[in-house]
Amino acid sequence: MRSKVLWTGFCVGIALLVGWCAQGAEAAERSVSGMAKEIGEFRQLFAQKEQALKEKNWHMYRATLDEENQTYLHEQKRWFQDAVRVIEPGSFRLQLLQVKAVGRGTAVVQVKQSYRMGKKAVSFNYPLSLKKRTDGWKDADLAFSVLKHERISVYYSDPALEREATLAMNTLQQAYEGLHRRMGWTTKGIEVKLYHRPEVFRQFVKPSLPEWAGGWHEANQAIKFIGGWGELRLLAAGLVHELTHQMVSELSNDNAAYWLQEGAAMYYEAHLLPRLMVGHEMNRLKRRMSLAELERAKLEKLPSDQAEQYYLSAYLAYKSLAERWGDRAFGAVLRELGKYPYLDLDSSEKQPTLNQRTRNAWMRVFGRSIEGMVGMSA
């Protein structure tokens, strides 16, 4: 996770494929007269989503999603698990505002989503892509434009984000090459989604996400980021941060303790691509947190000032490891963690298990405790 804190973009001479993504935006907007049947089916789809939230029924909700889009399926599963905990029962509504585009088996519709979280009423509009499958219309993610090159896909929710999408493509290609060289990491694919509005970003992560969060990555999901940053080098650094999360997740089978994940992400965003000239303001660290404090902390529950202390403390812990033992030491621990099974749980539910797995893997790799190697007290 990356806080909102983006180097003018550097180009690497790659050919970018620009166009609407396969989620249905390839069709030109046209008249939707005579579409009463389809509109009725769209509304039925949204009613099923509402009922699934009300009943807290994941299988009913899953039936509204496009199963061919596995990344989106994983994202929506985590969103649903969070939503049924924090959204007031019966308050979730999806209203069809407009059918914007229709193609062969595809549609793009403008929807209004609203719900209540405690005393807070949430309401916003966004364009949604729908796919026609054998058993009816399915939610197929936000209606994105996309840039593609080799293993990297950058999706963006508004034409105004095209410059940032190009920057993301350039940054990620160089960052991936750097992480591959330093850590021996190889991935099948990198997906990034840039959102033009914070509330839309939050909808496609989870409703309870703290407002200070500006980026996100979780196992089997795309990297997500809020667009519209003023300083592009900070966007670039944030993308390196989230790509590091993907690397850590894939090498460890998502079993690394969160302080180690965030420490590595903070370290590589500042040191992987020196041309970004991004550093952390260590003078803002009031007191370095102990390892036990980092292990106990619930990052997503922290206010922004305490979250900053967590990030800086985790950065110092990983920096000590990297400077004394090198990248390969971290890689050895991640690969040892990769031998554990994947836990398909929300971060808060598996945090104690990951802390213990990380300690165990560390001992097996090095024969000594974490504290002595990262220069931290318990």
Side-chain angles (χ1 to χ4, degrees):
M1 181 165 58
R2 185 63 165 82
S3 60
K4 298 176 191 172
V5 262
L6 242 154
W7 183 75
T8 53
F10 54 85
C11 295
V12 294
I14 56 177
L16 301 178
L17 303 178
V18 185
W20 287 103
C21 67
Q23 277 105 311
E26 76 279 0
E29 187 168 341
R30 64 176 177 81
S31 170
V32 293
S33 60
M35 287 193 62
K37 178 176 181 292
E38 287 83 359
I39 289 173
E41 292 171 345
F42 300 161
R43 288 178 172 149
Q44 184 177 0
L45 176 71
F46 298 155
Q48 182 174 335
K49 282 180 174 286
E50 294 173 357
Q51 190 64 26
L53 263 293
K54 186 176 182 179
E55 296 182 13
K56 300 184 178 182
N57 187 331
W58 162 243
H59 295 290
M60 180 188 294
Y61 190 86
R62 178 172 179 164
T64 69
L65 303 173
D66 182 13
E67 291 279 344
E68 294 188 15
N69 189 339
Q70 285 293 303
T71 299
Y72 186 55
L73 190 65
H74 284 289
E75 293 170 348
Q76 283 289 285
K77 181 179 182 180
R78 200 64 77 228
W79 179 90
F80 179 87
Q81 290 171 333
D82 187 67
V84 297
R85 286 194 293 262
V86 302
I87 290 179
E88 187 173 322
S91 70
F92 181 80
R93 294 287 183 271
L94 272 177
Q95 180 184 354
L96 177 65
L97 299 179
Q98 181 186 9
V99 180
K100 300 182 68 175
V102 181
R104 290 192 296 269
T106 66
V108 176
V109 298
Q110 188 76 4
V111 299
K112 177 181 179 180
Q113 179 170 303
S114 59
Y115 55 83
R116 291 191 303 276
M117 289 177 55
K119 296 181 179 179
K120 181 181 179 181
V122 179
S123 177
F124 54 93
N125 305 341
Y126 58 90
L128 186 66
S129 176
L130 304 177
K131 285 276 193 177
K132 184 67 177 289
R133 300 303 183 193
T134 55
D135 56 342
W137 288 96
K138 303 295 180 182
D139 170 4
D141 205 351
L142 202 68
F144 287 107
S145 299
V146 64
L147 305 179
K148 290 191 175 186
H149 177 70
E150 296 179 346
R151 72 187 76 223
I152 303 174
S153 299
V154 180
Y155 299 89
Y156 54 104
S157 66
D158 189 276
L161 297 179
E162 184 174 354
R163 181 188 178 200
E164 293 179 29
T166 302
L167 171 69
M169 175 65 73
N170 296 332
T171 302
L172 290 166
Q173 179 150 346
Q174 292 204 3
Y176 173 69
E177 291 171 354
L179 290 172
H180 173 72
R181 183 172 58 255
R182 294 175 70 156
M183 304 294 298
W185 172 52
T186 301
T187 187
K188 292 181 179 178
I190 299 167
E191 287 187 37
V192 177
K193 297 176 181 178
L194 300 178
Y195 299 88
H196 61 295
R197 294 170 62 188
E199 61 270 27
V200 178
F201 161 77
R202 188 164 289 105
Q203 151 61 21
F204 287 91
V205 177
K206 52 184 178 181
S208 69
L209 196 68
E211 292 190 2
W212 52 257
W216 182 263
H217 178 268
E218 193 171 338
N220 304 310
Q221 299 185 21
I223 292 169
K224 303 179 188 67
F225 230 91
I226 300 173
W229 292 74
E231 199 169 355
L232 293 179
R233 68 185 183 91
L234 297 181
L235 168 61
L239 289 166
V240 175
H241 182 108
E242 298 303 335
L243 184 64
T244 303
H245 276 300
Q246 180 174 340
M247 177 194 71
V248 171
S249 178
E250 292 184 3
L251 290 179
S252 71
N253 203 20
D254 205 43
N255 281 306
Y258 292 120
W259 70 265
L260 188 58
Q261 293 187 34
E262 295 298 349
M266 290 285 285
Y267 179 81
Y268 289 112
E269 78 167 76
H271 299 283
L272 184 67
L273 300 178
R275 293 174 65 180
L276 292 180
M277 296 182 292
V278 171
H280 300 307
E281 297 181 57
M282 300 311 300
N283 62 323
R284 296 180 62 87
L285 181 62
K286 298 175 182 177
R287 182 185 65 84
R288 183 173 176 180
M289 297 172 67
S290 69
L291 179 59
E293 289 174 320
L294 288 172
E295 288 181 327
R296 288 194 303 266
K298 304 293 185 183
L299 177 57
E300 293 175 37
K301 302 295 184 183
L302 298 179
S304 60
D305 59 336
Q306 294 181 32
E308 181 182 40
Q309 300 302 298
Y310 178 100
Y311 280 114
L312 293 175
S313 296
Y315 165 69
L316 285 180
Y318 185 80
K319 183 172 182 284
S320 174
L321 170 69
E323 291 180 349
R324 292 174 63 189
W325 305 95
D327 298 311
R328 296 293 172 171
F330 179 50
V333 173
L334 294 182
R335 288 174 172 85
E336 185 65 27
L337 283 166
K339 298 175 183 178
Y340 284 108
Y342 169 67
L343 296 175
D344 186 13
L345 298 171
D346 185 72
S347 58
S348 62
E349 298 177 88
K350 61 183 181 180
Q351 184 170 338
T353 301
L354 301 193
N355 287 335
Q356 190 57 54
R357 287 182 175 182
T358 298
R359 285 179 170 272
N360 293 345
W362 210 285
M363 185 62 71
R364 285 197 296 271
V365 171
F366 298 108
R368 56 193 299 186
S369 70
I370 296 175
E371 288 87 356
M373 293 188 66
V374 299
M376 299 178 69
S377 63

